[in-house]
Amino acid sequence: MTLEVELYRAGADVPERRLPLPKLLKAVLASELRGVGAEPVFMLSFESVPGPEFYPGPPRLSYRDRHFGHVTVIVQVEDHVVYRHPHSVNGLLGPVLAEVAKSIDPDEQSWTFRIDSPVFEDSPGLRMPPEVRGSMDVDVARSSRLSFGVRPAREPEVPTFDAAASGLPAELGHHPVSVLLSPDVKRLLERDLPLSEHVEEGGFLFGKVYRRPEAPDHHVVLVEHVLPAEHSGASLMHFTFTGDSFRTMRRVLAERHPDDQLVGWYHTHLFAPKGPFGLSETDVALHRATFRRPWQIAGLINIHDNRRHLRCYAGSETSMRVCPLWSRDDDSEQYRRAPSALGHQ
């Protein structure tokens, strides 16, 4: 059975055009399929996770089955998988459908589309976050008129880093944040930490932070402990912390690691890293809203074909940059500069 995409003018009940989905996918993936001689076979796995509301165009396109808003596209040529990557449906089909819509009527600025397929079944790769109860929003600007006060917490003092005593070279370069992984953390993130291949996973990173004496606004972050998040929501394309996740984190930090700080977080992407592609816009928004100290890091673990690829990021209000990674083994006191990313296969 060949799936078709129905393209509608906004508000219309009858499709303006019906297009074979394989033909559209060939156009979308033309660069990836260049030089492939045999006919590609497309396999699609839709996820019951809402996608973007629309593709901005022009013209603007809205996907009618937005509840199933993400899809993993696998392309097989003969016996080889030549492409595997998750997409939002709007992001995947929007550009090519916009061109079709413009060819039909360049003056029509709003279209919708749907995929004519059997009824979607709920995806097993979905974990909904627990229902939040007893929460409230607090307007800090109005705190003087509330029955309680709100004021910023005092920032903990950051000690100076002693490069010689740490086993690191004195010159770390001009990176705002350098990341040191203890041997236990290196093993966990690269290999031993159980991680799903069906939904994104994530959690918290504990350790210590130091400022560099030659550049006080530059920091060294030592990651010593990993805590998988509880009470989180997840899917193939999405990971969510909840208030309960942070309550559990704070309790564990106070009870088990009272000398450490929350130095950041980590989560997984269930596809191979491609070029500079790293944190998504959603990841960056979460980091900037929740992990606001300039030295707090975001660890990203790409999982693909039983391989893991680890990068760490830190940033400001305007950018997120890859941090240099340093690690050492149990039998070594010297940290070694890792490649741009650590990996295990």
Side-chain angles (χ1 to χ4, degrees), residues 25-90:
L25 292 174
K26 287 181 182 179
V28 170
L29 302 176
S31 60
E32 284 78 6
L33 298 176
R34 187 176 294 115
V36 173
E39 188 69 12
V41 175
F42 298 97
M43 293 166 281
L44 307 178
S45 176
F46 288 89
E47 298 293 326
S48 55
V49 181
E53 184 177 353
F54 57 86
Y55 172 74
R60 172 170 161 156
L61 289 114
S62 298
Y63 174 45
R64 291 192 173 191
D65 297 314
R66 183 172 169 261
H67 178 68
F68 290 89
H70 287 90
V71 59
T72 296
V73 180
I74 302 173
V75 184
Q76 183 171 323
V77 176
E78 296 178 338
D79 294 330
H80 303 285
V81 173
V82 297
Y83 183 86
R84 181 182 186 275
H85 208 279
H87 299 267
S88 70
V89 177
N90 265 324

Side-chain angles (χ1 to χ4, degrees), residues 181-194:
L181 303 179
S182 72
D184 287 343
V185 168
K186 179 176 181 290
R187 280 195 301 271
L188 278 172
L189 297 182
E190 281 193 309
R191 182 184 63 212
D192 294 344
L193 184 67

Side-chain angles (χ1 to χ4, degrees), residues 41-333:
V41 175
F42 298 97
M43 293 166 281
L44 307 178
S45 176
F46 288 89
E47 298 293 326
S48 55
V49 181
E53 184 177 353
F54 57 86
Y55 172 74
R60 172 170 161 156
L61 289 114
S62 298
Y63 174 45
R64 291 192 173 191
D65 297 314
R66 183 172 169 261
H67 178 68
F68 290 89
H70 287 90
V71 59
T72 296
V73 180
I74 302 173
V75 184
Q76 183 171 323
V77 176
E78 296 178 338
D79 294 330
H80 303 285
V81 173
V82 297
Y83 183 86
R84 181 182 186 275
H85 208 279
H87 299 267
S88 70
V89 177
N90 265 324
L92 178 70
L93 297 179
V96 67
L97 289 176
E99 294 302 314
V100 174
K102 282 189 283 189
S103 71
I104 297 173
D105 185 348
D107 296 324
E108 180 66 65
Q109 295 302 307
S110 186
W111 299 75
T112 65
F113 69 97
R114 66 179 293 270
I115 298 173
D116 185 15
S117 66
V119 178
F120 292 116
E121 297 180 358
D122 287 342
S123 168
L126 181 67
R127 182 177 70 238
M128 298 302 293
E131 180 182 355
V132 177
R133 297 181 179 180
S135 64
M136 64 178 295
D137 293 327
V138 176
D139 184 352
V140 178
R142 297 177 58 250
S143 62
S144 61
R145 286 174 279 174
L146 299 173
S147 59
F148 55 90
V150 178
R151 65 178 183 274
R154 190 169 74 87
E155 291 286 337
E157 186 175 346
V158 178
T160 302
F161 182 69
D162 186 341
S166 71
L168 280 171
E171 179 55 53
L172 293 177
H174 301 290
H175 302 278
V177 179
S178 298
V179 178
L180 279 59
L181 303 179
S182 72
D184 287 343
V185 168
K186 179 176 181 290
R187 280 195 301 271
L188 278 172
L189 297 182
E190 281 193 309
R191 182 184 63 212
D192 294 344
L193 184 67
L195 294 171
S196 172
E197 295 185 358
H198 303 289
V199 297
E200 290 190 0
E201 300 279 10
F204 303 98
L205 303 173
F206 299 157
K208 297 178 176 63
V209 58
Y210 304 91
R211 60 182 176 84
R212 289 166 52 180
E214 78 283 8
D217 58 340
H218 289 192
H219 297 87
V220 175
V221 174
L222 171 60
V223 185
E224 296 181 297
H225 305 285
V226 175
L227 178 68
E230 297 182 6
H231 316 292
S232 61
S235 71
L236 176 71
M237 293 285 294
H238 184 65
F239 175 80
T240 305
F241 289 116
T242 65
D244 286 337
S245 303
F246 282 92
R247 276 190 288 273
T248 300
M249 178 274 294
R250 286 192 292 269
R251 176 178 56 79
V252 172
L253 184 61
E255 293 177 357
R256 302 183 194 171
H257 311 290
D259 296 329
D260 289 331
Q261 297 186 61
L262 175 64
V263 296
W265 65 295
Y266 72 92
H267 78 297
T268 61
H269 281 179
L270 304 182
F271 48 88
K274 296 190 67 176
F277 184 77
L279 298 176
S280 68
E281 292 183 4
T282 302
D283 300 335
V284 173
L286 186 157
H287 183 85
R288 289 178 176 165
T290 310
F291 301 86
R292 307 187 70 170
R293 294 188 174 110
W295 42 262
Q296 288 182 314
I297 60 174
L300 175 62
I301 305 172
N302 284 84
I303 301 176
H304 178 66
D305 290 342
N306 295 317
R307 300 179 182 180
R308 298 185 184 184
H309 184 92
L310 169 68
R311 284 167 288 181
C312 289
Y313 298 80
S316 63
E317 292 296 323
T318 58
S319 65
M320 294 288 291
R321 298 179 180 177
V322 176
C323 303
L325 293 174
W326 298 76
S327 62
R328 67 178 179 85
D329 298 324
D330 289 301
D331 57 354
S332 172
E333 295 183 358

